[in-house]
Amino acid sequence: MSEEVPATSPRRLPVQFSLTWLLTVLLLVALASAYGVTAARLRSAEAELMRLREETGYLPPTDEDEIAAVRLISDQPMTYRLRVRVPASPRYRIAYSSLWPESAAAPRWFNAVAVPPGESVVTVRILKDPRDDRWKITTLRRGADGTRRMATVLPEKHVGIFRESHDWLRSGVTGQCSTRPIGQSLRLLDERVLVGEGAMMLYGDGPPSGEMVGVFAELQPDIGAI
């Protein structure tokens, strides 16, 4: 009588990997890690670039027959910073004022600062000058030819208004690039203090129905006396 021999399961061969396959996997892991690190660094660099552009101002390329301006970040009260770009011809200037007379089509410009061709950074401020204790509106321009500064003593009435708390009607250029064709003017700042009866009326581009006090600046062709 013969004995039944139990069936044996086939032997499983150990999984084998080729050297080429291992090197391929290692390469893919290294590439994925490098991509992750590079993407994180790129996001960080883009965030830093955006912050620097907001602080220093970035004017994208514009046509050669255009002027351009953008407002920069300022963390000081009644301090306004802008970056402007003008061509070599015609000559341009930045006129400034704190007074828009009643029924006038534009502010009564106090003075102006010349702007050289290319890009310049402009700061307009209302402040008390520590040298003589007088309140002034100042315009400081930094450009290719150095720094230029103009200042005008404010009327006492304006000083009182600026030192008080009021609502403001704000317009002018923003953090987005604004352009105009060569030969035209570009209103940089139109910051009106809303004071007195009817102060909350919005005047738009038309003249005010009463004298307006504020901070006004305009990039305009330098074609003669203010």
Side-chain angles (χ1 to χ4, degrees):
M1 186 174 182
S2 61
E3 295 182 359
E4 184 176 352
V5 179
T8 59
S9 59
R11 294 180 60 187
R12 295 184 178 180
L13 296 176
V15 178
Q16 296 182 350
F17 301 99
S18 68
L19 180 60
T20 301
W21 188 87
L22 288 173
L23 290 176
T24 301
V25 171
L26 290 175
L27 177 60
L28 291 175
V29 171
L31 289 175
S33 300
Y35 176 81
V37 172
T38 301
R41 290 178 176 175
L42 181 59
R43 287 193 296 269
S44 177
E46 289 177 342
E48 180 66 13
L49 178 60
M50 183 64 67
R51 184 185 66 82
L52 290 175
R53 283 181 173 179
E54 290 177 348
E55 291 181 355
T56 63
Y58 172 69
L59 283 173
T62 53
D63 294 337
E64 295 183 356
D65 59 351
E66 290 182 326
I67 60 174
V70 65
R71 186 175 295 200
L72 313 183
I73 291 177
S74 175
D75 57 1
Q76 299 294 324
M78 290 187 292
T79 299
Y80 309 90
R81 300 176 62 245
L82 308 109
R83 182 178 288 274
V84 301
R85 180 193 297 140
V86 299
S89 179
R91 295 185 303 171
Y92 267 83
R93 65 192 180 194
I94 295 175
Y96 65 89
S97 175
S98 66
L99 172 64
W100 192 318
E102 179 180 354
S103 301
R108 180 182 299 164
W109 303 116
F110 293 164
N111 214 325
V113 178
V115 180
E119 293 190 9
S120 301
V121 174
V122 181
T123 302
V124 181
R125 298 183 65 190
I126 301 291
L127 79 166
K128 186 178 182 180
D129 193 331
R131 297 172 299 179
D132 55 16
D133 289 332
R134 293 193 294 180
W135 283 81
K136 301 175 181 179
I137 178 172
T138 68
T139 299
L140 178 72
R141 188 270 299 157
R142 294 184 177 91
D145 62 345
T147 301
R148 299 289 179 87
R149 178 181 181 272
M150 295 294 297
T152 302
V153 177
L154 291 170
E156 287 299 323
K157 177 183 176 181
H158 295 192
V159 175
I161 292 175
F162 285 129
R163 296 183 67 179
E164 296 171 353
S165 177
H166 298 286
D167 291 324
W168 291 66
L169 177 62
R170 305 181 184 278
S171 59
V173 301
T174 66
Q176 300 295 322
C177 178
S178 298
T179 62
R180 291 289 186 278
I182 283 180
Q184 294 188 13
S185 297
L186 176 58
R187 184 65 53 82
L188 301 176
L189 297 173
D190 193 331
E191 308 280 317
R192 311 183 194 189
V193 185
L194 302 179
V195 183
E197 185 177 355
M200 293 304 296
M201 293 179 62
L202 303 183
Y203 298 104
D205 293 330
S209 59
E211 180 180 288
M212 296 293 297
V213 175
V215 182
F216 309 103
E218 186 172 272
L219 183 61
Q220 55 184 227
D222 190 354
I223 55 176
I226 293 294

